[in-house]
Amino acid sequence: MTNIHTDKLLILDFGAQYTQLIARRIREFGVYCEIWAWDHDPAEIAAFGAKGIILSGGPESTTEVGCPTAPQQVFDANVPILGICYGMQTLAKQLGGDTEAGNQREFGHAALDIIGNDALLAPVATTDALRNVWMSHGDHVSKAPAGFTITAKTDRLGIAAFANDAKKIYGVQFHPEVTHTAAGEALLRRFAVDICGCQTLWTAANIIDDQIARVRAQVGFDEVILGLSGGVDSSVVAALLHKAIGEQLTCVFVDTGLLRWQEGDAVMAMFAEASNKGCMGVKVVRVNAAERYFKALQGVSDPEAKRKIIGNLFVEIFDEESSKLRNAKWLAQGTIYPDVIESAGSKTGKAHVIKSHHNVGGLPEHMKLGLVEPLRELFKDEVRRLGVELGLPREMVYRHPFPGPGLGVRILGEVKPEYAELLAKADAIFIDELRKAGLYDKTSQAFAVFLPVKSVGVVGDARAYEWVIALRAVETIDFMTAHWAHLPYDFLGTVSNRIINELRGVSRVVYDISGKPPATIEWE
């Protein structure tokens, strides 16, 4: 079988908000890459065997003493190097050029003027697309290193790109990884495929074959238990593992009481239908555990505490269910890359903890099961592509994400059964109207949030003092960043009217217009 990890790039992260996008863009056209911190063990960098190295942007300044730099092993590897933004600046400084802090920062669109001929920019610059680039920097390169040609400039910058074709080292001040740079993907492809010589082996079909082989090697003839939520990630894991190990897989669906409205019945029906169609044939065991969850969450308001309680109870239940299986030695999870990053569990370990995820960070020492995570380094769009390749129903693959802790993190403050029922019904109304209006597939994630505050209202002729429901809908590609969805006012009015008229106890509906960043997609 082809080794899809042989032709690979290494991205050294200097702390930029866009670093994950670099990896995503490169993987999109079929080249495997990994992200390590700039101060990763130099010996491991030397041994990694990358065909090319990319230095990311970052918030630091190369004009400051002690600023982050690329290790010498990057240059000793004798492979092509691409520096982006800060990465270009540290290349300049480390190779004998210079940088300076700009009097004016440059953010947003810029027109690039190609003034030199090099192997990276010249083939891409045959159209006007490359002129439209995205900048996000304060410092800039003031002097190119000896042997380097200045290949591009802007109205504000004398050096917007430089190159040394003989050494295959390139620097660009703009960000090719963001969609705002029109020819960004073409430039990254030019670097990865043409200059570095990587084959485009990172495809859905190849990833599936690779993971099947890895899973079989990992678990042998042991049984595997999977926590099935009915969401995209766990459903893809179920299909992938069933393809790899068949009857050795048992899925456990835990009805927590914190799921979407009538979710339990819907999930069981969905997998039964998939099985009848010959799509999967997965064994699914349903565990009704709502009472246990509400009891465990009683009196708890802190978001992190709620997540840990919910996660620990998941583990307990999986442990109990696994003991009923004679040879169950592994627990499979639908952990994906954004979960790992946000929990600061990535290889770099540099990310701040935004929120912990119940399925990230390994298992408690007392648990008897090993861990199987076939999606751990995949972005959400890659997971969906795997689902399509595996033959899963479209409505399953393209269902909006649902958090592992469920409504436990969409009910702000203490979680109570009556709050969960009210929220689940409000959420169902929102989703129903989105589908009716043809807006469901145009949004990446949409849901309702229960706010533990009461608002004065008028119901009939009487004064009411009732709960508030917030609606949240976002548009995103990778869930690392997101824009709030500009839903039509008439549509929002319809949803609000239905929620207030159909649900007793709600007198006000609000709409969240926060982006990510600064907000997260979920409220907790």
Side-chain angles (χ1 to χ4, degrees), residues 107-131:
F107 293 98
H109 289 282
L112 200 67
D113 185 10
I114 307 296
I115 60 174
N117 188 27
D118 73 320
L120 180 66
L121 293 186
V124 182
T126 54
T127 68
D128 290 335
L130 188 60
R131 286 181 49 79

Side-chain angles (χ1 to χ4, degrees), residues 429-512:
I429 290 171
F430 188 22
I431 299 303
D432 179 53
E433 289 298 330
L434 282 167
R435 291 190 185 280
K436 285 181 181 177
L439 294 170
Y440 185 82
D441 290 332
K442 295 180 181 179
T443 56
S444 305
Q445 189 170 359
F447 55 91
V449 179
F450 178 88
L451 306 185
V453 293
K454 287 190 174 182
S455 169
V456 175
V458 178
V459 179
D461 292 324
R463 180 179 183 274
Y465 194 54
E466 297 177 324
W467 301 113
V468 179
I469 293 290
L471 304 179
R472 175 76 157 148
V474 299
E475 297 173 356
T476 180
I477 296 174
D478 52 24
F479 290 85
M480 299 300 297
T481 61
H483 298 290
W484 62 275
H486 292 217
L487 299 178
Y489 292 154
D490 288 347
F491 167 81
L492 291 173
T494 299
V495 175
S496 177
N497 286 338
R498 277 198 62 189
I499 290 174
I500 292 172
N501 288 330
E502 296 178 26
L503 303 183
R504 272 212 140 148
V506 178
S507 64
R508 191 177 299 271
V509 174
V510 298
Y511 187 56
D512 181 353

Side-chain angles (χ1 to χ4, degrees), residues 10-150:
L10 177 61
I11 302 168
L12 291 187
D13 181 17
F14 286 88
Q17 60 177 320
Y18 299 134
T19 301
Q20 305 303 329
L21 289 180
I22 302 174
R24 222 188 122 263
R25 293 285 178 265
I26 292 169
R27 289 182 180 194
E28 276 181 346
F29 54 73
V31 174
Y32 178 67
C33 57
E34 292 189 21
I35 299 172
W36 292 2
W38 64 271
D39 58 353
H40 193 93
D41 184 350
E44 292 188 12
I45 291 175
F48 181 66
K51 285 202 164 186
I53 297 174
I54 296 177
L55 309 181
S56 83
E60 305 292 338
S61 172
T62 54
T63 64
E64 300 291 334
V65 177
C67 63
T69 58
Q72 184 58 39
Q73 283 75 6
V74 169
F75 306 101
D76 294 342
N78 197 29
V79 297
I81 301 170
L82 171 62
I84 297 173
C85 197
Y86 183 92
M88 174 188 182
Q89 294 164 18
T90 195
L91 278 178
K93 290 276 284 194
Q94 291 183 246
L95 296 175
D98 207 356
T99 61
E100 64 183 17
N103 294 326
Q104 291 182 316
R105 297 182 299 173
E106 191 173 29
F107 293 98
H109 289 282
L112 200 67
D113 185 10
I114 307 296
I115 60 174
N117 188 27
D118 73 320
L120 180 66
L121 293 186
V124 182
T126 54
T127 68
D128 290 335
L130 188 60
R131 286 181 49 79
N132 186 11
V133 300
W134 184 262
M135 294 285 189
S136 181
H137 67 97
D139 297 355
H140 61 264
V141 176
S142 57
K143 177 186 175 184
F148 280 72
T149 301
I150 299 171

Side-chain angles (χ1 to χ4, degrees), residues 3-11 22-36 48-52 54 192-193 196 198-203 207 210-211 214 337 347 376-379 382:
N3 186 345
I4 61 176
H5 297 89
T6 298
D7 285 12
K8 57 191 176 186
L9 299 183
L10 177 61
I11 302 168
I22 302 174
R24 222 188 122 263
R25 293 285 178 265
I26 292 169
R27 289 182 180 194
E28 276 181 346
F29 54 73
V31 174
Y32 178 67
C33 57
E34 292 189 21
I35 299 172
W36 292 2
F48 181 66
K51 285 202 164 186
I54 296 177
V193 177
C196 297
C198 292
Q199 297 182 71
T200 52
L201 303 174
W202 190 254
T203 65
I207 294 170
D210 179 74
Q211 283 300 329
R214 286 169 177 259
Y337 207 15
K347 292 182 178 179
R376 187 178 176 87
E377 292 195 352
L378 297 182
F379 293 101
E382 293 178 309

Side-chain angles (χ1 to χ4, degrees), residues 195-405:
I195 295 175
C196 297
C198 292
Q199 297 182 71
T200 52
L201 303 174
W202 190 254
T203 65
N206 286 345
I207 294 170
I208 289 170
D209 290 343
D210 179 74
Q211 283 300 329
I212 287 174
R214 286 169 177 259
V215 168
R216 287 174 177 169
Q218 182 180 10
V219 308
F221 295 101
D222 298 335
E223 290 185 69
V224 178
I225 185 170
L226 165 66
L228 182 65
S229 70
V232 177
D233 304 328
S234 64
S235 297
V236 172
V237 172
L240 183 59
L241 293 183
H242 186 260
K243 191 175 181 69
I245 57 176
E247 292 296 312
Q248 293 169 240
L249 172 67
T250 298
C251 296
V252 175
F253 171 64
V254 180
D255 193 339
T256 65
L258 301 171
L259 303 176
R260 297 178 177 102
W261 181 242
Q262 299 180 332
E263 177 85 337
D265 294 339
V267 168
M268 297 301 293
M270 182 169 59
F271 274 85
E273 183 181 354
S275 297
N276 292 337
K277 291 180 179 178
C279 213
M280 294 173 68
V282 179
K283 292 183 291 183
V284 183
V285 176
R286 180 174 180 174
V287 180
N288 295 311
E291 187 175 338
R292 289 175 67 176
Y293 275 90
F294 288 122
K295 184 177 180 180
L297 291 166
Q298 189 172 358
V300 180
S301 297
D302 179 73
E304 280 298 295
K306 289 194 294 185
R307 285 178 176 273
K308 288 176 182 177
I309 289 170
I310 292 169
N312 289 339
L313 196 47
F314 264 113
V315 171
E316 286 181 24
I317 292 171
F318 287 138
D319 216 3
E320 293 166 4
E321 292 301 317
S322 68
S323 67
K324 301 175 185 177
L325 300 174
R326 183 177 57 83
N327 196 30
K329 295 182 180 178
W330 301 93
L331 171 65
Q333 294 187 153
T335 310
I336 64 172
Y337 207 15
D339 298 339
V340 176
I341 296 165
E342 289 195 335
S343 296
S346 63
K347 292 182 178 179
T348 69
K350 296 295 181 181
H352 294 288
V353 175
I354 299 171
K355 59 187 177 186
S356 63
H357 290 258
H358 76 280
N359 57 346
V360 176
L363 298 172
E365 291 182 5
H366 74 272
M367 194 162 185
K368 312 177 188 73
L369 303 177
L371 200 57
V372 179
E373 298 178 305
L375 309 181
R376 187 178 176 87
E377 292 195 352
L378 297 182
F379 293 101
K380 179 69 74 172
D381 55 321
E382 293 178 309
V383 174
R384 293 189 195 279
R385 285 200 290 271
L386 257 63
V388 171
E389 187 73 23
L390 287 163
L392 293 179
R394 188 186 187 282
E395 61 270 20
M396 185 185 292
V397 175
Y398 285 95
R399 197 178 190 196
H400 285 187
F402 190 69

